Amino acid sequence: MPEAGGSQGQRFAVDRMLGRLARWLRVLGHDVAYGPHLGGRTLVACARREGRLLLTRDTRLRRDRQLPPHLFVASDHFREQLREVARAVPIGNAALLRRCLECNRELEDLPRERARDRVPPFVWATNERFLACPRCGRLYWPATHRASMVRELAALGLIEGSPQ
Ligand SMILES: [Zn+2]
């Protein structure tokens, strides 16, 4: 079993069949390699090369005796999948909502003035803090994105219930 990650969280290589799981692991702040190109041998190679925990539903991979550290995910529902991962490694203590959900890059703080023309006026007026993805430019405003995601994760028992 891999060691617990530090503040950077766990590093995963997630099978392309597990899209929602990959996204939620990013919500929790983990470094998740995931994409349409990552399946089968390509995924295994990525996990091995980058020292990532392999998460897959592809049971054909069991034949590979050299398989790097891995977890076969049994459920096809993302909530149960998250629980399966949580039973194997600690996943609830990384940096919540500090990673782009689309491209996995860590978000950077964006001065509030620079968000002004890039979000709806109401959003700008009601949020103090904005984060931007250095790769795709997508903006995040934690207050809004947090509430529903925090509720979901707290309901799963992965994080404490209080927002912030
Ligand atoms: Zn991005």
Side-chain angles (χ1 to χ4, degrees), residues 38-54:
L38 288 176
R41 290 172 181 278
T42 321
L43 180 73
V44 172
C46 168
R48 183 178 289 127
R49 185 177 62 240
E50 300 178 14
R52 296 170 178 273
L53 177 61
L54 172 64

PDB file of all heavy atoms in Angstrom, residues 38-54:
ATOM      1  N   LEU A  38      -5.942   7.291 -21.544  1.00  0.00           N
ATOM      2  CA  LEU A  38      -5.422   6.477 -20.448  1.00  0.00           C
ATOM      3  C   LEU A  38      -6.303   5.268 -20.152  1.00  0.00           C
ATOM      4  O   LEU A  38      -7.281   5.354 -19.416  1.00  0.00           O
ATOM      5  CB  LEU A  38      -5.243   7.327 -19.184  1.00  0.00           C
ATOM      6  CG  LEU A  38      -4.075   8.319 -19.217  1.00  0.00           C
ATOM      7  CD1 LEU A  38      -4.064   9.170 -17.967  1.00  0.00           C
ATOM      8  CD2 LEU A  38      -2.746   7.598 -19.378  1.00  0.00           C
ATOM      9  N   GLY A  39      -5.944   4.148 -20.733  1.00  0.00           N
ATOM     10  CA  GLY A  39      -6.630   2.884 -20.470  1.00  0.00           C
ATOM     11  C   GLY A  39      -5.645   1.757 -20.719  1.00  0.00           C
ATOM     12  O   GLY A  39      -4.627   1.951 -21.389  1.00  0.00           O
ATOM     13  N   GLY A  40      -5.944   0.603 -20.153  1.00  0.00           N
ATOM     14  CA  GLY A  40      -5.117  -0.584 -20.408  1.00  0.00           C
ATOM     15  C   GLY A  40      -3.642  -0.348 -20.142  1.00  0.00           C
ATOM     16  O   GLY A  40      -3.255   0.199 -19.115  1.00  0.00           O
ATOM     17  N   ARG A  41      -2.819  -0.741 -21.121  1.00  0.00           N
ATOM     18  CA  ARG A  41      -1.365  -0.671 -20.940  1.00  0.00           C
ATOM     19  C   ARG A  41      -0.862   0.758 -20.781  1.00  0.00           C
ATOM     20  O   ARG A  41       0.114   1.003 -20.066  1.00  0.00           O
ATOM     21  CB  ARG A  41      -0.662  -1.290 -22.147  1.00  0.00           C
ATOM     22  CG  ARG A  41      -0.816  -2.786 -22.228  1.00  0.00           C
ATOM     23  CD  ARG A  41      -0.267  -3.293 -23.555  1.00  0.00           C
ATOM     24  NE  ARG A  41      -0.432  -4.737 -23.672  1.00  0.00           N
ATOM     25  CZ  ARG A  41       0.401  -5.614 -23.134  1.00  0.00           C
ATOM     26  NH1 ARG A  41       1.458  -5.197 -22.474  1.00  0.00           N
ATOM     27  NH2 ARG A  41       0.179  -6.898 -23.264  1.00  0.00           N
ATOM     28  N   THR A  42      -1.511   1.686 -21.469  1.00  0.00           N
ATOM     29  CA  THR A  42      -1.075   3.079 -21.375  1.00  0.00           C
ATOM     30  C   THR A  42      -1.238   3.596 -19.951  1.00  0.00           C
ATOM     31  O   THR A  42      -0.393   4.320 -19.421  1.00  0.00           O
ATOM     32  CB  THR A  42      -1.932   3.963 -22.321  1.00  0.00           C
ATOM     33  OG1 THR A  42      -2.179   3.254 -23.524  1.00  0.00           O
ATOM     34  CG2 THR A  42      -1.245   5.269 -22.599  1.00  0.00           C
ATOM     35  N   LEU A  43      -2.348   3.200 -19.352  1.00  0.00           N
ATOM     36  CA  LEU A  43      -2.620   3.612 -17.975  1.00  0.00           C
ATOM     37  C   LEU A  43      -1.600   2.991 -17.016  1.00  0.00           C
ATOM     38  O   LEU A  43      -1.062   3.669 -16.134  1.00  0.00           O
ATOM     39  CB  LEU A  43      -4.041   3.186 -17.591  1.00  0.00           C
ATOM     40  CG  LEU A  43      -4.501   3.537 -16.189  1.00  0.00           C
ATOM     41  CD1 LEU A  43      -4.772   5.033 -16.081  1.00  0.00           C
ATOM     42  CD2 LEU A  43      -5.768   2.760 -15.832  1.00  0.00           C
ATOM     43  N   VAL A  44      -1.340   1.718 -17.203  1.00  0.00           N
ATOM     44  CA  VAL A  44      -0.368   1.019 -16.354  1.00  0.00           C
ATOM     45  C   VAL A  44       1.008   1.676 -16.484  1.00  0.00           C
ATOM     46  O   VAL A  44       1.689   1.927 -15.489  1.00  0.00           O
ATOM     47  CB  VAL A  44      -0.280  -0.479 -16.731  1.00  0.00           C
ATOM     48  CG1 VAL A  44       0.854  -1.158 -15.983  1.00  0.00           C
ATOM     49  CG2 VAL A  44      -1.612  -1.171 -16.440  1.00  0.00           C
ATOM     50  N   ALA A  45       1.371   1.995 -17.720  1.00  0.00           N
ATOM     51  CA  ALA A  45       2.682   2.620 -17.953  1.00  0.00           C
ATOM     52  C   ALA A  45       2.757   3.977 -17.267  1.00  0.00           C
ATOM     53  O   ALA A  45       3.777   4.332 -16.668  1.00  0.00           O
ATOM     54  CB  ALA A  45       2.924   2.771 -19.453  1.00  0.00           C
ATOM     55  N   CYS A  46       1.672   4.736 -17.329  1.00  0.00           N
ATOM     56  CA  CYS A  46       1.626   6.051 -16.688  1.00  0.00           C
ATOM     57  C   CYS A  46       1.784   5.911 -15.173  1.00  0.00           C
ATOM     58  O   CYS A  46       2.564   6.629 -14.549  1.00  0.00           O
ATOM     59  CB  CYS A  46       0.304   6.744 -17.028  1.00  0.00           C
ATOM     60  SG  CYS A  46      -0.026   8.208 -16.024  1.00  0.00           S
ATOM     61  N   ALA A  47       1.049   4.957 -14.580  1.00  0.00           N
ATOM     62  CA  ALA A  47       1.115   4.746 -13.132  1.00  0.00           C
ATOM     63  C   ALA A  47       2.530   4.373 -12.705  1.00  0.00           C
ATOM     64  O   ALA A  47       3.065   4.893 -11.729  1.00  0.00           O
ATOM     65  CB  ALA A  47       0.124   3.656 -12.718  1.00  0.00           C
ATOM     66  N   ARG A  48       3.139   3.494 -13.461  1.00  0.00           N
ATOM     67  CA  ARG A  48       4.477   3.027 -13.116  1.00  0.00           C
ATOM     68  C   ARG A  48       5.493   4.156 -13.257  1.00  0.00           C
ATOM     69  O   ARG A  48       6.295   4.418 -12.377  1.00  0.00           O
ATOM     70  CB  ARG A  48       4.856   1.852 -14.017  1.00  0.00           C
ATOM     71  CG  ARG A  48       6.208   1.249 -13.685  1.00  0.00           C
ATOM     72  CD  ARG A  48       6.499   0.049 -14.580  1.00  0.00           C
ATOM     73  NE  ARG A  48       5.665  -1.097 -14.237  1.00  0.00           N
ATOM     74  CZ  ARG A  48       4.917  -1.767 -15.113  1.00  0.00           C
ATOM     75  NH1 ARG A  48       4.879  -1.391 -16.361  1.00  0.00           N
ATOM     76  NH2 ARG A  48       4.206  -2.795 -14.727  1.00  0.00           N
ATOM     77  N   ARG A  49       5.438   4.854 -14.383  1.00  0.00           N
ATOM     78  CA  ARG A  49       6.409   5.904 -14.690  1.00  0.00           C
ATOM     79  C   ARG A  49       6.332   7.052 -13.687  1.00  0.00           C
ATOM     80  O   ARG A  49       7.335   7.617 -13.273  1.00  0.00           O
ATOM     81  CB  ARG A  49       6.134   6.422 -16.102  1.00  0.00           C
ATOM     82  CG  ARG A  49       7.127   7.430 -16.641  1.00  0.00           C
ATOM     83  CD  ARG A  49       6.785   7.809 -18.081  1.00  0.00           C
ATOM     84  NE  ARG A  49       5.476   8.454 -18.175  1.00  0.00           N
ATOM     85  CZ  ARG A  49       4.450   7.992 -18.887  1.00  0.00           C
ATOM     86  NH1 ARG A  49       4.558   6.879 -19.556  1.00  0.00           N
ATOM     87  NH2 ARG A  49       3.297   8.637 -18.907  1.00  0.00           N
ATOM     88  N   GLU A  50       5.106   7.401 -13.287  1.00  0.00           N
ATOM     89  CA  GLU A  50       4.932   8.587 -12.448  1.00  0.00           C
ATOM     90  C   GLU A  50       4.668   8.246 -10.981  1.00  0.00           C
ATOM     91  O   GLU A  50       4.353   9.131 -10.185  1.00  0.00           O
ATOM     92  CB  GLU A  50       3.809   9.457 -13.030  1.00  0.00           C
ATOM     93  CG  GLU A  50       4.140   9.907 -14.463  1.00  0.00           C
ATOM     94  CD  GLU A  50       3.027  10.739 -15.097  1.00  0.00           C
ATOM     95  OE1 GLU A  50       2.121  11.187 -14.365  1.00  0.00           O
ATOM     96  OE2 GLU A  50       3.084  10.938 -16.323  1.00  0.00           O
ATOM     97  N   GLY A  51       4.768   6.977 -10.629  1.00  0.00           N
ATOM     98  CA  GLY A  51       4.591   6.575  -9.239  1.00  0.00           C
ATOM     99  C   GLY A  51       3.198   6.864  -8.711  1.00  0.00           C
ATOM    100  O   GLY A  51       3.022   7.302  -7.577  1.00  0.00           O
ATOM    101  N   ARG A  52       2.199   6.605  -9.534  1.00  0.00           N
ATOM    102  CA  ARG A  52       0.811   6.872  -9.148  1.00  0.00           C
ATOM    103  C   ARG A  52       0.106   5.570  -8.773  1.00  0.00           C
ATOM    104  O   ARG A  52       0.417   4.511  -9.322  1.00  0.00           O
ATOM    105  CB  ARG A  52       0.056   7.501 -10.318  1.00  0.00           C
ATOM    106  CG  ARG A  52       0.597   8.860 -10.720  1.00  0.00           C
ATOM    107  CD  ARG A  52      -0.027   9.331 -12.019  1.00  0.00           C
ATOM    108  NE  ARG A  52       0.450  10.656 -12.388  1.00  0.00           N
ATOM    109  CZ  ARG A  52      -0.107  11.786 -11.961  1.00  0.00           C
ATOM    110  NH1 ARG A  52      -1.175  11.750 -11.179  1.00  0.00           N
ATOM    111  NH2 ARG A  52       0.387  12.943 -12.307  1.00  0.00           N
ATOM    112  N   LEU A  53      -0.855   5.689  -7.862  1.00  0.00           N
ATOM    113  CA  LEU A  53      -1.687   4.536  -7.529  1.00  0.00           C
ATOM    114  C   LEU A  53      -2.688   4.332  -8.663  1.00  0.00           C
ATOM    115  O   LEU A  53      -3.441   5.238  -9.018  1.00  0.00           O
ATOM    116  CB  LEU A  53      -2.418   4.763  -6.198  1.00  0.00           C
ATOM    117  CG  LEU A  53      -3.387   3.650  -5.766  1.00  0.00           C
ATOM    118  CD1 LEU A  53      -2.658   2.328  -5.566  1.00  0.00           C
ATOM    119  CD2 LEU A  53      -4.129   4.048  -4.498  1.00  0.00           C
ATOM    120  N   LEU A  54      -2.682   3.144  -9.219  1.00  0.00           N
ATOM    121  CA  LEU A  54      -3.536   2.811 -10.346  1.00  0.00           C
ATOM    122  C   LEU A  54      -4.945   2.452  -9.864  1.00  0.00           C
ATOM    123  O   LEU A  54      -5.112   1.587  -9.015  1.00  0.00           O
ATOM    124  CB  LEU A  54      -2.897   1.625 -11.081  1.00  0.00           C
ATOM    125  CG  LEU A  54      -3.649   0.922 -12.203  1.00  0.00           C
ATOM    126  CD1 LEU A  54      -3.872   1.862 -13.370  1.00  0.00           C
ATOM    127  CD2 LEU A  54      -2.839  -0.297 -12.644  1.00  0.00           C
TER     128      LEU A  54
END
